[in-house]
Amino acid sequence: MLNPGDFYDLNLSFTQQQVNDFAAITGDNNPLHIDPDYAKTTRFGRPVVHGFLAGAVFSRIFGTLFPGEGTIYIYQDMRFREPIFVDKNYRARVEITEINPEKHNGTVSCLLIDDAAVPEHRTCIEGTARLKHLTEFV
Amino acid sequence: MLNPGDFYDLNLSFTQQQVNDFAAITGDNNPLHIDPDYAKTTRFGRPVVHGFLAGAVFSRIFGTLFPGEGTIYIYQDMRFREPIFVDKNYRARVEITEINPEKHNGTVSCLLIDDAAVPEHRTCIEGTARLKHLTEFV
């Protein structure tokens, strides 16, 4: 059973191979993600991880870890604040902010954070999710 | 140059192989997506496509087709209204609803629609995106 304030952290990184595979599966072949020569010509300077690949960490956490099995995804929003790059370490932090026990719904804040950024850690994705879980949100 | 009311439709479907590959790449191994025996025990009755795999069609359209190259993703929200299944036809519809020419930003409504649902077509994902494009949103 989860309560407001409960949170979960997951450390992760992305490889160029993951990005290339994600492009192949989803059809999202934007060269910004998969073509280093093209990416060099952009303001980012190197390939950027798809926002949807990075954001899928929230779905992974909710569906398999926190709350885990039985979670129904109702809503997700994501603000893409900073580019996400391959072979860098990130931390996903999800935290329960509100629970509606009658509807078995929970609201969860979602962050993808670059802890190594200077002068201070940087939030790359900021979002909110709404989930349903019959036994965790009671 | 795009204007409010301009829209783009993309027909697509998802295979179980795509879903399995998406699970492997993202780590989202929720058995609801990849284990038909488990999925049968849920209210859905069969494997459900990851919301993030289905929703990635919006990223694909924005980054490669409409507006296409040069698009910067600022924000996306998604309401997962109905489950999405493999080997079914869906239509993604994105439509410009507002443009801020000073900031070169556009707001886009996003739908993933099951046109074959009875008695009437069914919206499976409903969302909003905000994009930046220097030459299309002017």
Side-chain angles (χ1 to χ4, degrees):
Chain A
M1 178 185 155
L2 293 170
N3 293 297
D6 290 349
F7 65 90
Y8 191 94
D9 279 344
L10 183 69
N11 295 302
L12 77 165
S13 62
F14 306 93
T15 65
Q16 187 63 52
Q17 189 60 51
Q18 268 176 298
V19 172
N20 294 351
D21 290 346
F22 185 89
I25 290 171
T26 61
D28 189 348
N29 294 310
N30 184 335
L32 175 62
H33 305 302
I34 55 175
D35 181 345
D37 291 334
Y38 173 84
K40 267 190 202 131
T41 70
T42 70
R43 69 184 208 195
F44 302 108
R46 52 191 163 133
V48 170
V49 176
H50 300 79
F52 266 76
L53 170 55
V57 68
F58 303 128
S59 171
R60 170 185 172 192
I61 293 173
F62 299 145
T64 67
L65 298 163
F66 178 92
E69 194 182 321
T71 299
I72 302 293
Y73 223 149
I74 300 172
Y75 172 84
Q76 177 77 55
D77 63 41
M78 295 180 285
R79 198 167 302 277
F80 302 113
R81 293 174 48 155
E82 299 284 344
I84 295 148
F85 299 108
V86 301
D87 299 329
K88 279 195 57 165
N89 296 319
Y90 295 94
R91 177 169 55 96
R93 153 70 60 108
V94 299
E95 180 172 339
I96 312 287
T97 58
E98 203 181 340
I99 285 176
N100 180 331
E102 287 80 34
K103 293 191 168 181
H104 302 298
N105 283 358
T107 305
V108 190
S109 76
C110 304
L111 300 175
L112 189 74
I113 301 163
D114 174 4
D115 282 312
V118 287
E120 56 183 9
H121 77 273
R122 198 172 284 157
T123 296
C124 300
I125 302 180
E126 184 175 18
T128 309
R130 210 152 48 248
L131 312 173
K132 184 182 186 103
H133 198 291
L134 295 180
T135 56
E136 293 290 351
F137 297 136
V138 291
Chain B
M1 176 185 156
L2 293 170
N3 293 298
D6 290 349
F7 65 89
Y8 191 94
D9 279 344
L10 182 70
N11 295 302
L12 78 164
S13 62
F14 306 92
T15 65
Q16 187 64 51
Q17 190 60 53
Q18 268 176 298
V19 172
N20 294 351
D21 290 347
F22 185 89
I25 291 171
T26 61
D28 189 348
N29 294 308
N30 184 336
L32 176 62
H33 305 302
I34 56 176
D35 181 345
D37 290 334
Y38 173 84
K40 267 191 201 131
T41 69
T42 70
R43 69 183 209 196
F44 301 109
R46 52 191 164 132
V48 170
V49 176
H50 301 78
F52 265 75
L53 170 54
V57 68
F58 303 127
S59 171
R60 170 184 171 191
I61 293 173
F62 299 145
T64 67
L65 297 162
F66 178 93
E69 194 181 322
T71 299
I72 302 294
Y73 224 149
I74 301 171
Y75 172 85
Q76 177 77 56
D77 63 42
M78 296 181 284
R79 198 167 301 275
F80 302 113
R81 293 174 47 155
E82 300 284 345
I84 295 148
F85 298 110
V86 301
D87 299 330
K88 280 194 58 166
N89 296 319
Y90 295 94
R91 177 168 56 95
R93 153 69 62 108
V94 300
E95 180 171 341
I96 311 287
T97 58
E98 203 180 338
I99 285 175
N100 180 328
E102 286 80 33
K103 294 192 168 181
H104 302 298
N105 284 358
T107 305
V108 190
S109 75
C110 305
L111 301 174
L112 190 73
I113 301 164
D114 174 5
D115 281 312
V118 285
E120 57 183 7
H121 77 273
R122 198 173 283 156
T123 297
C124 300
I125 301 180
E126 184 175 16
T128 310
R130 210 152 47 247
L131 311 173
K132 185 181 184 103
H133 197 291
L134 295 180
T135 56
E136 293 290 351
F137 297 138
V138 292

